[in-house]
Amino acid sequence: MKKPGAYLIVLRLIVALGCCALGPASALADGGKPDAPVRLLPYPFSHIVSFAADTDALRPWHGAAIHRFFNEELGLTISDSLWPQGREEISAFFVGPGQLNRYPSGIGSEPTFALLLREWHRGNIDHFHSWHEDSPFPVRTEIQPALSLSAARSSLSISSVGLPPQPSRNVRFYFSAAPPADLSIMLHDSKGGSSIFGPGDIARGQDIQFEVGPLGWIVEVIVPLQSNSVAHPVDPMSLDRIEFIAPSCATGCSASLTRVERDHFSRYTVLSEIPWLEAWNVRPAILTSHGGNTLIQDFGVPGQVAKFVAFDNPALVDTHAPLADQKQSHAYHSDLLRKLGVLSVWSYFPADVKDIFAVPDGPEVQHGLLPLSSTYEQLYNLPRAQPPPLDTDSEDKFDASARTVLADIPEDERKELYCGPSCNVSQGNALAMLIASHLQSINRGKKVKGLIYTHFGSEEGTAVFRTSPEEPVTPAVRKWMRRFANYVYDFDGSIGIGRRIWSPPANTWVRYQVMHSNIASHLAIDKSAISITPWTDPVTQTTWPDMHAGTRDLHGLTVYVPDVEHASVRIGDKETQSFTRNPPDETGRTSITLVDDQVPTPIIGRVSLNDRASVEVKSGHFADASAANSYVSLATDTSGDAGVVIKPWRLDLWNTSHLQLAVRKRCSAKNGASCLGSRFKVELLMQDGGTVSILEDQAPDRRVPSSTWSVPRLKKLDEWVSHTLDVTQLAWSKFIDEGDDWRRPGLPLGRVKEVRVSLMNAPAGTTLDVQNFRALRPSGNGQASDGSKLVAGRVTLDGWTPAPGVQVRAAAESGRVTSTATDQDGYYFFPGQPSGQIVSIRAQLGARQCFPRQGRRIEIGKDEAELDIELGRSLQFSSRSSPSPANTAADPQACEAMPGLLAQER
């Protein structure tokens, strides 16, 4: 973990070298242009506060608990970071090349890598805090004089490092010329261990070097944790002898060994782990630079270095330079990050201080957005909000500085913000200070636009508070984040349009800035018809918007139109309905706002409800979705009413920002006006007790305990009308804000208990059709080039005990069948599944097949990482970890008998 104040030290080391500004991001904004066609921020917001969190010391259970509070209890779409590689106890996918982090996460029986993958595809995590956690120390041995490969077998003795044990596995060799093609390298340690790497390993090890530089040719080997060829695998930190075997050098070779290095990161590391991330569709738009003990994984400009010595050891590298963008280094991986989808980086040593820190309420953001800049090839810079100058060295010093910096905050509340001398303004427990500062600026009439930098979980607690799964944040953070949520949603009606805050995930905010800075010349408005032509971004050289990602890259784009009712949007050659229709804002003009639809969760979709829920018809007649009709129908009988209650087997909504559905009415009576005079209602009853309702042509009633939208009455029969509804624009039921009794109104978040659809006051035979009813959430995550998705889940006996070695099949309606077996933790993965397909997933248990709780058939519209299957508590496993068909007692709701196999079994 970075030491407190690390970035202040970095700033003192910076030498401004200049930077290329790419023009204002607010070229179409309201800065003195009342007739600008594009609103500066999405309707109805006047401020933007997003979060970029360092994952330093964030234990997986703590991260999950923090986001349970932020994202579920408060309803904020706040995102976090992780490392692809790190130590076992922290938030990292891998603990070494190809080695998943299976350390217990602290949440149920889930290993760390699996919990992080689920959190990623829920939207609670969406960016990288560098590639690796960087805790081991780098060791370097200069070979003087250089060792010439002048024989078929050359040997080098090397002295012990004498450092504490550390998990370094990368061993690097520098040669003065290209090494011979038949070279093998054998490592020996002082404990009797050895490992040999043949010519194939050496050839692959040269992939570490993107471009040969003045240090010569580099070869790297990754020492395995286990060795199949010898009893004792080598310990890289205890090497005492290295043999270079090359028959072609019997009469001499031009290559000489000049240097040996040992650490735990390189381009090789990234190359070995990136296929997993691509298969899982873990594709961040942001990477931030971590500190650590080497800095080699970081971005920085040439010539900027840091020096420190942890031990008095001549082999220890004491000069640290960031190498992520240095093509001749062993750690260059900027190109691999771009391939994965990274658009923007936070530099450790920037070309200009403005590239990494910006005043969130400074003059440059009062009428626009910060100009974008670029220092590194095909990457944008990512500035964070400069923290307020609060002195946390002691309570007295904090109180003195807070009286000035937070002058509008009552004294008793200012004192509550102090969280100890080690809790500086970049730490998680100091989040309350940062929020208080931002809200004070807003209340003073300033515009605030920024990305708050913090460590959500880096401080375990103050002298009087200890974090726990039940209480993941301090009382002060809890209090101020509740206030922050009110500025986002205006639960109590006190905020008003001029103080509303947009708080999207970090990836989404970066994409918005890139999009907004380039949209001007690619947008055409003809009355209320909007056309957007895709373009090539001048920095990233990627296509915007990515047509494989729906409307992701346009999320938040708000365009003024004179007639919202008849507005239409076309992107390239595709028309989209994923936009809201907004009433007049402070300019008096109406507008539409594009909404990210790349990660939809179907509520009523193409899969029949009988395959994923229990359906109870209360009145009238109900027709389910089918292969012929991708919608459900509800028809009235002679009573004039119709209603259906749908109870999903399992339907979880994460970070929902919008609900979307299409409806139409049909009429069998001659009097169509009477049919149109009916009213429909759609309700979501959430497991947390909240209710969200969509009412046709009916004003919300605060006395009713439901958050509600009112949509216009349908005006024509037999015509589909689409609605995209913003959860921040719900009409709220009575808001409770009484200290510990604080409770937000209902939001479509968490587990859905029931979905109710009703039609009232209609002539007999009036039919309501509903299709494409789905929850949407903002997600800046990248997509595979073909738009394919991950389908994954866990097979357990009882929701806790993993079931390894179980065969799982995914059968698509096209007839394509894919099969795999669960791993040691019970997880199965089907990467590369075509988007839009419907699949049947089954775990084979002798004569029975069990399917995920989500349903017998699954509509794949987004990456699915939680399609879990429970086999039944009585299932026993043999010593080979294969399921035994005998004595199975699978849950009858989630398992089906296969008559043919069942007869054979009997």
Side-chain angles (χ1 to χ4, degrees), residues 11 13-19 301 304 350-354:
L11 290 177
L13 296 172
I14 290 172
V15 176
L17 299 179
C19 171
V301 293
Q304 294 297 310
D352 191 308
V353 178
K354 292 183 295 184

Side-chain angles (χ1 to χ4, degrees), residues 817-837:
V817 177
T818 310
S819 63
T820 189
T822 57
D823 66 10
Q824 66 193 67
D825 294 300
Y827 290 92
Y828 68 90
F829 302 94
F830 292 113
Q833 296 298 305
S835 181
Q837 73 174 351

Side-chain angles (χ1 to χ4, degrees), residues 60-61 64 88 90 101-120 122 650 654 792-796 799-802 823-827 829 865-868:
W61 68 263
E88 288 184 330
I90 63 176
N101 187 356
R102 299 185 184 275
Y103 190 82
S105 67
I107 300 294
S109 62
E110 291 189 79
T112 291
F113 87 90
L115 176 66
L116 296 177
L117 183 60
R118 292 171 187 249
E119 289 284 293
W120 187 280
R122 292 173 180 177
R650 178 162 296 174
W654 307 106
R794 193 184 196 192
V795 181
T796 63
W800 181 278
T801 309
D823 66 10
Q824 66 193 67
D825 294 300
Y827 290 92
F829 302 94
E866 301 185 55
L867 298 177
D868 297 344

Side-chain angles (χ1 to χ4, degrees), residues 515-760:
M515 176 275 298
H516 205 282
S517 69
N518 289 286
I519 191 67
S521 58
H522 307 288
L523 175 72
I525 306 173
D526 182 7
K527 296 181 180 178
S528 292
I530 298 170
S531 298
I532 298 171
T533 303
W535 68 92
T536 299
D537 181 77
V539 171
T540 65
Q541 295 299 302
T542 54
T543 300
W544 286 69
D546 181 350
M547 301 303 287
H548 287 303
T551 49
R552 176 198 64 192
D553 296 333
L554 300 169
H555 181 75
L557 174 63
T558 298
V559 182
Y560 290 110
V561 293
D563 184 358
V564 294
E565 182 180 352
H566 296 97
S568 63
V569 178
R570 179 171 291 276
I571 306 168
D573 60 354
K574 295 181 181 179
E575 190 165 350
T576 181
Q577 299 294 327
S578 295
F579 59 88
T580 63
R581 304 171 193 270
N582 308 320
D585 64 4
E586 66 278 3
T587 68
R589 292 183 290 169
T590 56
S591 61
I592 63 97
T593 299
L594 272 293
V595 175
D596 186 346
D597 62 6
Q598 76 151 338
V599 286
T601 299
I603 300 171
I604 295 175
R606 293 160 50 215
V607 173
S608 63
L609 290 169
N610 283 317
D611 279 334
R612 47 196 290 262
S614 62
V615 179
E616 181 181 359
V617 181
K618 294 293 187 179
S619 60
H621 307 282
F622 175 76
D624 204 349
S626 65
N629 296 315
S630 60
Y631 54 85
V632 300
S633 299
L634 189 63
T636 58
D637 53 21
T638 55
S639 70
D641 294 334
V644 62
V645 176
I646 304 159
K647 297 182 179 180
W649 295 337
R650 178 162 296 174
L651 176 58
D652 295 321
L653 306 181
W654 307 106
N655 292 303
T656 305
S657 65
H658 295 76
L659 291 185
Q660 186 180 68
L661 79 166
V663 292
R664 73 176 178 185
K665 288 179 183 175
R666 293 178 285 139
C667 188
S668 62
K670 294 182 179 179
N671 186 357
S674 297
C675 294
L676 288 172
S678 61
R679 290 176 175 173
F680 69 79
K681 178 166 65 173
V682 179
E683 299 172 284
L684 290 183
L685 280 67
M686 310 305 296
Q687 191 162 314
D688 66 3
T691 301
V692 180
S693 303
I694 303 170
L695 310 176
E696 181 186 16
D697 193 30
Q698 184 175 339
D701 187 348
R702 284 180 62 86
R703 296 170 298 177
V704 176
S706 173
S707 305
T708 56
W709 288 289
S710 179
V711 298
R713 189 188 297 272
L714 294 176
K715 297 179 179 180
K716 293 182 180 180
L717 294 172
D718 305 316
E719 182 178 282
W720 286 104
V721 174
S722 179
H723 298 285
T724 302
L725 306 170
D726 185 348
V727 297
T728 66
Q729 297 305 300
L730 278 161
W732 309 113
S733 57
K734 185 177 180 180
F735 174 59
I736 300 173
D737 185 5
E738 299 175 1
D740 292 339
D741 294 330
W742 187 98
R743 184 180 178 187
R744 63 161 171 79
L747 289 175
L749 292 172
R751 186 151 294 171
V752 178
K753 184 179 179 182
E754 292 182 6
V755 181
R756 297 179 179 178
V757 183
S758 57
L759 184 63
M760 300 158 286

Side-chain angles (χ1 to χ4, degrees), residues 140-172:
R140 177 181 299 155
T141 303
E142 300 287 355
I143 312 302
Q144 295 177 345
L147 176 68
S148 175
L149 302 186
S150 57
R153 197 178 197 102
S154 303
S155 183
L156 173 71
S157 295
I158 192 167
S159 59
S160 175
V161 173
L163 293 175
Q166 61 183 40
S168 297
R169 295 173 56 195
N170 299 52
V171 183
R172 243 174 343 271

